[in-house]
Every structure is written in C-alpha cells, then in structure tokens.
C-alpha cells in the first residue's frame, strides 16, 4: 500500500518526472502535414505580465482545506512549529496573456506568514518542479525544511496553470491510467510498437477532449508571467524565488522575461537549458544509471547486510536487469489484484533513486520482487505516477505532459526513436530503452510547442544562486554550470554540493543550507565555485 510517508520520501527530491511521460524530441512527421496549432505566446517577450486591474486584485486568505484528489489528496496541512497556520487563496490570471482583458482562470496559492513582520523581506515563492507538482500540497509537506527562511519571508507556493486546483488538465480516467501504466513502454516488435504509438495518440486525444481549452496556455512562458503577476499582487517590488528541478527552468525563463524584477533567487536541482529533448533524455539516462551504480556499490560495500546477490556492483545490477527481463513476460503479484509489470518496476526503481534516503526501499523492493512479491516496487511506482491507495490519480502526470508538449517543438516518429535507441542503451542498460521510447511522449499532441531550448539569458538581473549536486540522477550536475553560464556573467552564481539524490537543500547538508540562508536572508552572495561536501 502506498503511504504518505512513501509519497513524502519520493517527493523529498522535488519531483522531476522521468521523460517517457514528458518532453519530446527531434523533429518528426505528424499525422497532420500542417502540424497542430502553436501554443499562443506573445511575440514580445518583454510584454507586461498583466493588466492593471488584475495586478491590483486583493486576495482573500482562508484556512487551507485538505488537498483535492487532483493535488494528491491527504489531510489538511498541519501548522508549522510555533503554531503558524497555512493559509490558502486563489488569484485570477488571464487565460491568454495576448488578451489580458479576456477570460481568466484561477491559480491556487498557499502561504505561511513570516515570523517577524518587522523584518519581513517579502514573499519567497516556491516551485517544486515536475512540471506538474502541486505547490499547494508540496510546500506544507516540507514546510519544516524551509521554516528557518520565515525569518525574512512569507513562504508562498502555488499550483501552476494546468496543475491541481489551477484549471488542472484532465486526460484519462483512473481505470484507463491503471491500464496505461501497465502497458509495455519498451516495445520489442512491430505489434508492440503499434500498440505503444496507439496508446500515446489515444492519450493525447483524451487530453484534447477533456482539457482542450487549457492546453494551448499551460506552457512555461505563461507560468512565468503568472509569477510576475503574483509578485505584484503580493506587493513585492522584486520576485524572491526558490525553484527546484523543473522550477529552475521556470526561474530561468522568468529571469529572461523580467530581468529587472529578479530579486534573491535560488535554483536547486538544475535543468540544463542548453540541451534539446534528445540530449536532455540522454542526460537523464546517464544520471539514473550513475545513481544506480552508486546504489549498487553501496550495497556491495555493506557486505552481508545487503539483501541483493552479487559481489560487485555490476553483478548487483545484473540481478536487477534479470528481474526486469523476467517481468516483461511474467508480471508478479503486486497490490490487491494489480500486478507488477516491467514498466511499473522500472518506474519504481527510478522513484527510489531520487534520494539516498530511499535506497533501502529499492533494496527491499528488489529483494521482495525476486521472491515473487511486487508490492513495494509497485507502491514506489504509484508514488511517482501520482496514484493514491484508493486508486485515484492526481493530475501531476497529465499536467507534466501538457506543459512539456506546450513548451517543446520536437516530435518524434517511431522510426526516428528506434534509430536513437542504441545511444540510449549505451548510456544506460537499465533505463536506456525506457527513456529512449519516451521521446515519443508528444507524438500526436494537439498543440505545437514554442522552443527547442528555453532562453534564460538575463542580462542586468540580480545574482541568482544556482546549485548543482554531483550525484543528481534526474538533473545531472553539469546542468548547473550550463544554467549559470546561460543566465549570464554576474547573474548565475554556481554552488556545488558533492552528494547523492535529486537537489541539494533538502539533503539536510548544513553547508548548503547555510549558504542559501545567508544569501536569501542576508543578501550574501557566495563566491562562484563554492563547494559543499
């Protein structure tokens, strides 16, 4: 059974979802020779983010309800240490910024007030990545980790457009999603390839049918404009920001659009803005393989305490590969009537690599699956796919696909994908096929994307702290330097954390937290190239 603790363990890395359910790649043919209509974005990137009327709206803050099913469900958020409650509100934004006086949608917001109003710097806005993660549900889950930052800030997060309670994208039913996640996502013959392609296109049509109005407007550029409107509505002259994983891309795009409005900003678990979809997917394949290598070596170094067979890291991984090979034809019992398939097992393994704290779950899950019990690996897969124990899914994966496909121009055919597979297999024997076939995630999507890579250059912006983790599986370490360089000289300031897992601040490393705290609370910019161990 999936528990809130398991969900928290997976989210602790601030979710970046694996690319089989996200971005697309390299130009390919589509069923429509003219292509789908483009995502509407303003031609002028410096366009004001809102009308004066929306910028002057007053928010009504109330006690927060329990998260909705689309946000992941759960209990009403508990107060922070000292009793500070969480408050929730909704903010109106234009559906289409090209028509700011037209139709609006509402974004769900959450906040916890600063400890001392007299020393308040402003609102620190969080985005926890995905894309697709509900900030309203995630911030309180890890509020204790950020509580010391309330010395100077209201802690604020939100469900970006298309996510959770913010005009959340809807695609397939819970039952359809169960079937979809069981489907073989590494097809081996023409029949399986045809079934795979059909499933992707069926999913895209379901998204169009159920959320066609929102799909053209859920991209990152509009989310960045929403944040600038949020800044104004919250009464801040500058945007104070903490972006994690995909949230770093959002932060970079914001800096490009509104460089003069950038305040103290932290980008942690950094997406490389210079990579196209193929390069990004290959980077993830290498990153997850590195994390699996590190897990396997750790297992061997613990000797008899490790439950998995093998006297070397390679032998441990061969055992895992053997398990996955067997599951392709012979799924094993999982939870209730649900079985653990190869696809779900790979997802569960990936979920456990987001944080070193969940390595024990990976060891236990593989050991139990070797013995015919797939419950734990299935629960780990559910945690990443956004499935609750009662069978309800949140909308994180639907939003993830919608946002990525609204952003990315690239579309891949099956033939183009197969031509790329050897490169992916070389990058990762375990995750290569999985991530390689993920290049087709946007095939047949009803809205065209707007970029091959995002523009994050921000000349004139205030210094932005960019943190890279040398052992990060989801956003490989070199992406931090790429982001710092792309932001521009004097803007991107790189901090290195020599650790494991996705992201750095939530690792609990005292050095990282001190550097971030000194920067956000005191304005102390660290020397570029600072290293925390």
């Amino acid at each position: 059974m999936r528990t809130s603790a398991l969900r928290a363990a997976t989210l602790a890395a601030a979710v970046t979802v694996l690319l089989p359910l996200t971005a697309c790649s390299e130009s390919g043919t589509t069923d429509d020779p003219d292509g789908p209509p483009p995502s509407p974005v303003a031609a002028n990137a410096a366009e004001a983010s809102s009308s004066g009327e929306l910028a002057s709206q007053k928010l009504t803050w109330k006690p927060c309800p329990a998260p909705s099913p689309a946000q992941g469900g759960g209990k009403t958020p508990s107060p922070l240490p000292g009793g500070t409650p969480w408050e929730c509100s909704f903010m109106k934004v234009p559906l289409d910024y090209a028509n700011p006086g037209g139709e609006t949608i509402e974004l769900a917001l959450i906040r916890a007030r600063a400890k001392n109003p007299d020393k308040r710097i402003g609102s620190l806005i969080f985005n926890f990545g995905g894309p697709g993660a509900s900030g309203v549900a995630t911030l309180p889950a890890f509020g204790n980790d950020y509580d010391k930052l309330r010395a100077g800030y209201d802690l604020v997060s939100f469900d970006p457009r298309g996510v959770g309670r913010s005009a959340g994208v809807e695609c397939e039913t819970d039952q359809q999603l169960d079937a979809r996640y069981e489907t073989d996502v590494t097809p081996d013959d023409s029949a399986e390839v045809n079934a795979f392609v059909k499933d992707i296109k069926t999913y895209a049509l379901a998204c169009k049918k159920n959320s066609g109005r929102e799909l053209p407007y859920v991209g990152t550029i509009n989310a960045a404009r929403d944040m600038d409107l949020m800044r104004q509505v919250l009464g801040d002259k500058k945007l104070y920001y903490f972006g994690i994983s995909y949230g770093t891309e959002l932060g970079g795009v914001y800096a490009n659009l509104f460089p003069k409005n950038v305040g103290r900003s932290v980008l942690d678990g950094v997406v490389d803005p210079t990579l196209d979809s193929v390069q990004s997917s290959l980077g993830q394949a290498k990153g997850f393989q590195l994390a699996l290598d590190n897990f396997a070596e750790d297992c061997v170094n613990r000797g008899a305490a490790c439950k998995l067979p093998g006297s070397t890291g390679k032998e441990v991984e061969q055992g895992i590969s053997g398990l996955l090979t067997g599951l392709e034809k012979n799924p094993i019992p999982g939870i209730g009537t649900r079985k653990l398939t190869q696809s779900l097992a790979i997802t569960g393994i990936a979920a456990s690599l987001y944080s070193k704290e969940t390595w024990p779950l990976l060891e236990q899950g593989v050991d139990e699956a070797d013995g015919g019990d797939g419950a734990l690996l299935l629960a780990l897969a559910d945690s990443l796919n956004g499935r609750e124990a009662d069978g309800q899914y949140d909308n994180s994966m639907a939003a993830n696909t919608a946002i990525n496909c609204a952003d990315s121009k690239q579309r891949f055919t099956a033939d183009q994908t197969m031509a790329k597979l050897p490169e992916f297999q070389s990058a990762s024997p375990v995750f290569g096929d999985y991530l390689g076939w993920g290049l087709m995630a946007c095939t047949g999507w009803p809205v065209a994307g707007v970029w091959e890579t995002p523009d994050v250059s921000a000349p004139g912006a205030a210094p932005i702290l960019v943190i890279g983790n040398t052992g990060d599986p989801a956003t490989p370490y070199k992406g931090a330097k790429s982001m710092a360089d792309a932001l521009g000289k004097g803007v991107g300031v790189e901090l290195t954390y020599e650790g494991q897992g996705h992201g750095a601040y939530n690792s609990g490393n005292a050095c990282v937290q001190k550097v971030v705290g000194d920067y956000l609370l005191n304005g102390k910019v660290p020397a570029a190239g600072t290293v925390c161990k």
Side-chain angles (χ1 to χ4, degrees):
M1 298 290 285
R2 176 174 170 237
T3 66
S4 58
L6 178 58
R7 176 65 161 168
T10 305
L11 280 174
V15 180
T16 290
V17 182
L18 281 174
L19 292 179
L21 298 163
T22 63
C24 322
S25 299
E26 209 164 279
S27 300
T29 59
T30 63
D31 291 337
D32 179 358
D34 297 321
S39 256
V41 293
N44 182 3
E47 175 188 344
S49 68
S50 64
S51 68
E53 185 174 325
L54 287 176
S56 62
Q57 66 183 288
K58 302 298 182 184
L59 301 182
T60 301
W61 295 95
K62 298 179 180 179
C64 291
S68 70
Q71 293 171 314
K75 297 180 179 180
T76 302
S78 300
L80 286 163
T84 299
W86 294 98
E87 303 173 303
C88 287
S89 188
F90 287 92
M91 183 185 80
K92 290 183 179 180
V93 300
L95 176 65
D96 179 2
Y97 275 98
N99 182 22
E103 186 177 359
T104 63
I105 57 175
E106 290 189 325
L107 302 188
L109 276 64
I110 190 169
R111 77 173 178 187
R113 289 180 178 271
K115 294 178 181 179
N116 188 340
D118 294 336
K119 296 182 179 180
R120 180 182 177 277
I121 298 167
S123 299
L124 183 61
I125 297 175
F126 289 79
N127 180 281
F128 292 94
S134 165
V136 173
T138 305
L139 180 58
F142 302 104
N144 289 352
D145 294 344
Y146 303 108
D147 189 56
K148 63 184 69 175
L149 300 178
R150 286 200 303 119
Y153 297 95
D154 295 343
L155 304 185
V156 177
S157 194
F158 65 109
D159 289 356
R161 55 175 59 212
V163 177
R165 281 195 167 115
S166 297
V169 172
E170 297 179 6
C171 295
E172 294 186 327
T173 66
D174 294 334
Q175 293 75 21
Q176 289 171 322
L177 289 173
D178 272 346
R180 184 167 199 254
Y181 290 131
E182 291 174 359
T183 301
D184 187 355
V185 295
T186 57
D188 302 311
D189 55 42
S190 58
E192 290 183 353
V193 169
N194 290 337
F196 177 77
V197 173
K198 180 180 178 181
D199 176 73
I200 290 172
K201 294 185 177 181
T202 298
Y203 185 77
L205 288 173
C207 297
K208 180 180 180 180
K209 177 182 178 181
N210 294 314
S211 293
R213 182 192 70 152
E214 292 84 12
L215 293 184
Y217 305 102
V218 298
T220 299
I221 289 175
N222 280 333
R225 292 188 174 118
D226 290 341
M227 288 205 303
D228 201 61
L229 176 56
M230 195 179 305
R231 172 191 64 80
Q232 297 171 70
V233 171
L234 293 172
D236 291 332
K237 292 183 178 180
K238 301 287 186 179
L239 181 83
Y240 304 103
Y241 181 70
F242 201 131
I244 305 163
S245 197
Y246 159 80
T248 66
E249 182 175 293
L250 175 59
V253 170
Y254 178 89
N256 171 258
L257 293 174
F258 307 103
K260 294 180 181 179
N261 297 342
V262 172
R264 299 171 193 172
S265 297
V266 174
L267 307 182
D268 183 9
V270 184
V271 173
D272 190 330
T274 68
L275 302 183
D276 65 20
S277 295
V278 177
Q279 295 164 333
S280 181
S281 297
L282 279 170
Q284 277 204 326
K286 294 173 183 177
F288 276 97
Q289 187 63 45
L290 174 62
L292 186 64
D293 292 345
N294 291 336
F295 160 80
E297 288 297 328
D298 176 76
C299 193
V300 170
N301 291 338
R302 289 189 291 109
C306 178
K307 300 176 182 179
L308 304 184
S311 58
T312 66
K314 184 176 181 179
E315 289 179 357
V316 171
E317 291 185 26
Q318 287 173 341
I320 293 173
S321 295
L323 170 67
L324 294 172
T325 299
L327 288 171
E328 182 172 19
K329 301 298 182 184
N330 298 295
I332 60 176
I335 300 172
T337 60
R338 299 170 66 219
K339 291 189 174 183
L340 179 71
T341 64
Q342 182 191 65
S343 298
L344 287 166
I346 295 174
T347 303
I349 291 168
S352 65
L353 292 174
Y354 275 88
S355 172
K356 190 173 182 178
E357 292 180 359
T358 51
W359 285 5
L361 295 178
L362 172 57
E363 180 183 335
Q364 180 183 346
V366 170
D367 178 58
E368 291 177 355
D370 278 335
D373 180 0
L376 182 52
L377 283 184
L378 181 54
L380 283 162
D382 285 349
S383 72
L384 197 58
N385 288 334
R387 188 187 194 275
E388 292 293 334
D390 62 4
Q392 285 191 312
Y393 284 86
D394 63 27
N395 95 310
S396 60
M397 298 303 280
N400 180 279
T401 303
I403 294 167
N404 278 306
C405 296
D407 285 345
S408 176
K409 284 184 177 180
Q410 289 88 15
R411 303 291 187 263
F412 239 106
T413 66
D415 287 343
Q416 290 169 329
T417 300
M418 286 187 280
K420 289 288 184 183
L421 289 181
E423 194 173 358
F424 278 83
Q425 292 160 350
S426 176
S428 173
V430 174
F431 301 103
D433 281 339
Y434 184 65
L435 287 159
W437 281 106
L439 297 177
M440 291 191 67
C442 294
T443 297
W445 195 252
V447 176
V450 297
W451 64 47
E452 292 187 7
T453 60
D455 188 355
V456 301
S457 60
I464 296 173
L465 182 58
V466 180
I467 310 174
N469 181 347
T470 57
D472 198 314
T475 51
Y477 168 64
K478 67 178 183 179
K481 184 179 188 306
S482 296
M483 176 67 81
D485 290 346
L487 287 168
K489 187 176 181 180
V491 180
V493 179
E494 186 181 1
L495 168 68
T496 292
Y497 167 53
E498 295 184 353
Q500 299 293 331
H502 183 35
Y505 188 87
N506 279 342
S507 70
N509 181 268
C511 172
V512 172
Q513 293 190 349
K514 183 179 187 306
V515 172
V516 171
D518 282 346
Y519 167 65
L520 287 176
L521 296 172
N522 305 316
K524 183 179 178 181
V525 180
T530 297
V531 177
C532 288
K533 300 182 179 181

